[in-house]
Every structure is written in structure tokens, then in C-alpha cells.
Amino acid sequence: SQQGEEDPQALSIQEGENATMNCSYKTSINNLQWYRQNSGRGLVHLILIRSNEREKHSGRLRVTLDTSKKSSSLLITASRAADTASYFCATAHSGNTPLVFGKGTRLSVIA
Amino acid sequence: DAGITQSPRHKVTETGTPVTLRCHQTENHRYMYWYRQDPGHGLRLIHYSYGVKDTDKGEVSDGYSVSRSKTEDFLLTLESATSSQTSVYFCAIRSGTSGSWETQYFGPGTRLLVL
């Protein structure tokens, strides 16, 4: 069964606005990762946050992790039309276990 | 793309026929994965490999088998294809050393239609 669950399932915003997506999971994790998928393409890794970290930044991306609430959020600031894609969170229970993916959030950024 | 290719990229087959999908990597990564992606289900793990001849089942392994006789190749076989196996199949490799996650790189996908 899927570990992570993204919220919302779909999000539509105007270019320049910020987009926030959330991920909740059920069991303890070693790390949580976010991926982006453009239509018809493979997934692309965005950022990894380990269980002992609370926040990470990468360019316009900000990821937070709250292990007490078993949740993470992905913030994309100053969104662009090119950010239109599906975004997936994935968790690893340990350093050697496979990633388990959520069902994703579809983000539409309207120019 | 971390040197990952999948073949074929598209395939149409009939129910009951065996189908083999190939994933090839050029960077000598130890871990390789096969996922399927379906609307409403996201990505689900079928099988994975943690070395030559070392494989394990994922969440949706029924009806699938895998083989890894060389580091660079990971084969997924649908023993007798069914319409429920119509899907997009993604191969992935994992970077980082054993016990330490880094990132996962995905291939371009194979679209399989079972009639």
C-alpha cells in the first residue's frame, strides 16, 4: 500500500504565486523525497530531506519535514508556467528499503 | 537521465502472450527498480534488484518476474500478459551507497497496451 499521500490532488494557480503541496505518511522514515513528472515523461528528483532535518532549500523550492506529525510540505515560490507538472513525495523506511510513492499532486500554473 | 534506457518504448500485445521489457544503465549502479504507473494509483513498485542475481518483490509483483544477470541490465517479464497489465512501466536506478539514500533516476518509460 502507498505510504505517502499528497494533498491537494490538484492545484491551479497564477504565474508568480506560490504553490504549496503537502505529503502525509504513516510509518517512520529514513528520508523523504520529492519528484516532479512532466506529462509523458519519467520522474525527476527535486530534493531529499532526511529524518533528522527540518527544512531544506533548493532554488525556488523549500521543503519542510515534521516527523512528529508524519508530514512534509513542498513550497514552490514565484511559480512559472514551466512548473506545471505532477509532484510526488516518496519515503524510504530505512537506508536500504525501496522508495514508496504517493499518488501525486497535479499542479497547473496559468500564465 | 543517469544513462538509463528502456526498450521497447511502446508495445502492443495480445492477452496471454509473454512480454519482456528491458532496462539498461551505463553507470554501474547496484540498485535497480521496476515501477508501473496507472491513473489514480501513482507509482507502484513491482520488483527491485540490489545486485546481480539479487532481486526482491514489490507491492504489485503478481504476474511479473525479473532477472538481472549483468549489472547493467534489469529485465521485467510479464509471463502471460493480461489487460490489467496495460500501463506505463518505469525503470529506475538509485545513487548512493548501501544504507545511504541519495536519489533515484528514472528511465523514459515503456507504454504497454495489452489487447
Side-chain angles (χ1 to χ4, degrees):
Chain A
S1 62
Q2 262 139 331
Q3 159 84 307
E5 188 169 321
E6 292 91 342
D7 172 62
Q9 290 186 334
L11 179 61
S12 183
I13 60 173
Q14 298 289 325
E15 204 167 32
E17 293 180 339
N18 295 342
T20 300
M21 289 160 267
N22 302 296
C23 172
S24 59
Y25 57 92
K26 298 173 184 173
T27 64
S28 64
I29 60 171
N30 172 276
N31 68 84
L32 184 145
Q33 304 183 32
W34 285 91
Y35 288 79
R36 183 188 74 229
Q37 184 181 34
N38 292 94
S39 181
R41 308 291 292 273
L43 279 70
V44 174
H45 179 261
L46 295 176
I47 199 163
L48 179 153
I49 186 165
R50 302 190 191 278
S51 60
N52 61 353
E53 297 174 313
R54 292 296 167 256
E55 187 171 314
K56 285 190 83 169
H57 296 256
S58 177
R60 293 183 296 112
L61 306 181
R62 172 178 170 253
V63 169
T64 62
L65 178 65
D66 187 335
T67 53
S68 67
K69 296 181 179 178
K70 292 187 171 58
S71 67
S72 173
S73 67
L74 170 67
L75 169 67
I76 304 174
T77 60
S79 62
R80 307 165 181 168
D83 294 327
T84 294
S86 291
Y87 291 81
F88 295 87
C89 71
T91 56
H93 178 64
S94 74
N96 287 322
T97 53
L99 287 179
V100 179
F101 285 80
K103 297 180 182 180
T105 292
R106 291 190 312 279
L107 173 66
S108 298
V109 181
I110 303 165
Chain B
D1 63 358
I4 306 171
T5 57
Q6 292 184 231
S7 59
R9 294 292 313 279
H10 302 270
K11 186 167 182 69
V12 180
T13 191
E14 293 187 349
T15 297
T17 60
V19 176
T20 295
L21 308 183
R22 178 181 182 241
C23 178
H24 178 78
Q25 59 146 331
T26 60
E27 299 189 3
N28 214 35
H29 292 286
R30 178 182 173 191
Y31 290 87
M32 299 184 75
Y33 306 86
W34 277 108
Y35 292 89
R36 61 178 289 175
Q37 185 174 33
D38 305 287
H41 290 279
L43 243 67
R44 292 180 292 175
L45 182 67
I46 306 171
H47 281 280
Y48 66 102
S49 170
Y50 45 96
V52 173
K53 299 192 189 303
D54 292 323
T55 64
D56 206 348
K57 296 179 180 180
E59 177 189 355
V60 290
S61 60
D62 287 348
Y64 301 94
S65 62
V66 290
S67 66
R68 191 165 178 203
S69 58
K70 299 184 292 184
T71 299
E72 58 265 36
D73 288 326
F74 191 30
L75 304 181
L76 176 71
T77 297
L78 288 64
E79 293 139 9
S80 177
T82 67
S83 58
S84 65
Q85 293 176 312
T86 291
S87 187
V88 181
Y89 291 85
F90 287 100
C91 174
I93 60 91
R94 165 186 157 174
S95 67
T97 58
S98 177
S100 176
W101 262 101
E102 293 299 331
T103 189
Q104 198 157 291
Y105 296 98
F106 283 80
T110 294
R111 292 186 176 276
L112 177 67
L113 174 62
V114 183
L115 300 175

